[in-house]
Structure formats: C-alpha cells, structure tokens
Amino acid sequence: FMESTSKLAVSRKTLHEQLADILREKILRAEILPGEKINEKEIAQRYQVSRGPVREALRQIEEEGLVTYASQKGCVVKALTYEEMSEAYLLRSTLECLAVKIFDGKMSQEGLIKLQQAIDDIEENAKKRELYEIISADERFHSTIVEESGCDRLYKMWKSLRGSNTATYYTMKSEDLMPYDVLGRNHQYILDLFRKQMDVDTIVREIDLHYSVVPQTLYQATHKGKIPPK
C-alpha cells in the first residue's frame, strides 16, 4: 500500500500513536485487506521515520486484534475469533455497567445530548456504509456513559479496550455481518432508558445484552447456527 513519501503531522500524539491511527484507518477502509502483509520498511520510508515507531504501532494494533504475525509472512491483517470478541466485550461491558452503577443511571442533560449526537452520526454514516466514522461515533456514545461516572481510572481502563471494539466492527464487516440498518436503533434504545430514568438493573441488563449480541451473531454465522457457549 505504498504511496508517495510524506511526513507525519506535528501532534500531541507520539509517532507510534499517529502511525497506529493511520494503519487502523487503512484497515477499516479496506485499503489493507485480510491476509495482506504490512511491511515495516515501507511504512518507515513512506512517513520518513525510523522502524522503531513502526514496530510500536504494529504492536499496538496487534494488541487491538487488527493484525497478527504469521509464519514466513510477517505482520498481516486478521479478524477476531468469537472467543476473542466475546472476552473483549465482556470486559468492556462490565466496566461500562460499573460506571452506570456509580452514577446510579442518572445521566446528565449534557450527557443525554452527547449520546443523541453520537446516535445521529451513527445513523448518518450507516447509510453511507462509512465504517471508520461509525466506529468513531460508537466510541463517543459509550465513552460518554463511562465518563459520566467521573472516575478517571475506570475510564482509562475502559478506554484501553478501544482497540477490541475497532477490531470487532472490522471483523463483522469482513464477515459481511454488519447490521447497518439497526445500529442507530440499538443505541437509541439505551439512550431512551436513560431518558426515562429507568432503574439501574434494567439499564445494566440492556447494556450487557447490547454487547453480547455481536459475538453471538458472529458465532452463529461461523458455526452454522449453533448456540454459542456461555
């Protein structure tokens, strides 16, 4: 995927973080395909950096589940397995539900506005099948819920799992399982629970369900309708 040489922009992010962002977007936009090798040397030349930051960037998106190292091929794009997706979403939903319990399900007016804006962006980009923008809006939706708790350490722990969400969306797209037509509706249901000030148990139960449906869909599609293990 070599292009003309260019320098990375001056940014608060480190070099490897900028490179990780670039590679992540290229993968999500299908500019780098599953099984395709990502060449360290070519990336370093393309962005006029040493190979150290490139390795760190690849290590970061490997932890996110977007790439893996294959024998005699090097670093290649991959998709998540059901087990990997299920584990990542279990951790993510557990932390998010803890945040809801901390603020007792009482979302601020500002938070409600942010959730609606994120949903509007999800719906708009779902119509255009713009996966990168959908993921960005989805992250804003769920991060708003976690941030409402006011717990910085909890938010940092939840944020560290961002990559698994990116990899999940990519996997669902590559498996042709992306439910573009219901993405906005699924998030709207959670927002409506906050607006109605439903009890915490109800909100938490629905967030758990929201996260569990995706890996179950992947499992059933790849295991011919079998019920996924609990």
Side-chain angles (χ1 to χ4, degrees), residues 188-217:
Q188 188 70 55
Y189 186 71
I190 294 175
L191 170 54
D192 289 344
L193 293 178
F194 284 121
R195 279 184 171 150
K196 295 174 183 176
Q197 297 189 351
M198 299 296 290
D199 61 277
V200 172
D201 288 343
T202 298
I203 297 172
V204 165
R205 183 170 61 249
E206 291 304 322
I207 289 176
D208 276 335
L209 180 61
H210 178 86
Y211 276 105
S212 66
V213 166
V214 177
Q216 286 175 0
T217 299

Side-chain angles (χ1 to χ4, degrees), residues 3-228:
E3 307 163 12
S4 59
T5 302
S6 65
K7 291 184 178 181
L8 295 176
V10 176
S11 169
R12 290 182 179 180
K13 291 186 176 181
T14 63
L15 283 177
H16 91 264
E17 288 173 332
Q18 292 184 66
L19 288 167
D21 286 345
I22 291 169
L23 292 172
R24 190 184 299 109
E25 182 170 358
K26 284 182 176 294
I27 291 170
L28 293 173
R29 294 191 185 281
E31 294 176 29
I32 313 175
L33 301 173
E36 186 174 341
K37 180 179 179 180
I38 300 178
N39 189 290
E40 286 184 14
K41 183 178 179 181
E42 289 180 353
I43 297 171
Q45 291 176 342
R46 165 74 176 85
Y47 296 103
Q48 301 182 44
V49 297
S50 67
R51 293 176 68 168
V54 177
R55 291 193 190 97
E56 290 184 64
L58 291 174
R59 191 177 301 115
Q60 179 175 328
I61 61 174
E62 180 187 18
E63 291 176 356
E64 296 175 3
L66 285 174
V67 300
T68 188
Y69 281 86
S71 177
Q72 298 184 4
K73 286 195 71 174
C75 187
V76 297
V77 178
K78 64 166 283 190
L80 290 182
T81 64
Y82 161 75
E83 290 77 15
E84 290 170 329
M85 187 186 297
S86 184
E87 178 184 273
Y89 266 18
L90 173 62
L91 293 172
R92 189 175 163 98
S93 65
T94 298
L95 293 173
E96 194 165 322
C97 288
L98 176 57
V100 173
K101 291 177 182 178
I102 290 173
F103 66 84
D104 199 32
K106 302 299 188 295
M107 179 72 66
S108 66
Q109 189 61 37
E110 180 183 1
L112 293 174
I113 292 172
K114 288 181 178 179
L115 292 181
Q116 188 62 66
Q117 290 173 337
I119 291 171
D120 292 344
D121 287 342
I122 288 174
E123 291 180 333
E124 179 183 347
N125 287 291
K127 293 176 183 176
K128 298 182 290 185
R129 302 297 196 263
E130 290 286 355
L131 187 63
Y132 191 76
E133 283 74 16
I134 290 172
I135 294 172
S136 176
D138 178 83
E139 280 295 312
R140 283 190 282 113
F141 180 91
H142 290 284
S143 65
T144 296
I145 295 174
V146 181
E147 286 179 299
E148 193 78 11
S149 70
C151 295
D152 291 341
R153 187 169 297 180
L154 173 62
Y155 177 74
K156 288 178 182 178
M157 291 175 64
W158 180 88
K159 191 72 172 177
S160 70
L161 297 167
R162 173 195 172 196
S164 63
N165 193 43
T166 302
T168 292
Y169 269 98
Y170 174 75
T171 299
M172 297 301 284
K173 180 185 178 183
S174 64
E175 294 286 345
D176 198 26
L177 296 172
M178 275 293 294
Y180 290 107
D181 56 333
V182 299
L183 285 175
R185 190 189 319 156
N186 291 345
H187 289 79
Q188 188 70 55
Y189 186 71
I190 294 175
L191 170 54
D192 289 344
L193 293 178
F194 284 121
R195 279 184 171 150
K196 295 174 183 176
Q197 297 189 351
M198 299 296 290
D199 61 277
V200 172
D201 288 343
T202 298
I203 297 172
V204 165
R205 183 170 61 249
E206 291 304 322
I207 289 176
D208 276 335
L209 180 61
H210 178 86
Y211 276 105
S212 66
V213 166
V214 177
Q216 286 175 0
T217 299
L218 176 65
Y219 185 92
Q220 291 167 359
T222 56
H223 292 76
K224 298 180 179 179
K226 292 182 180 180
I227 299 174

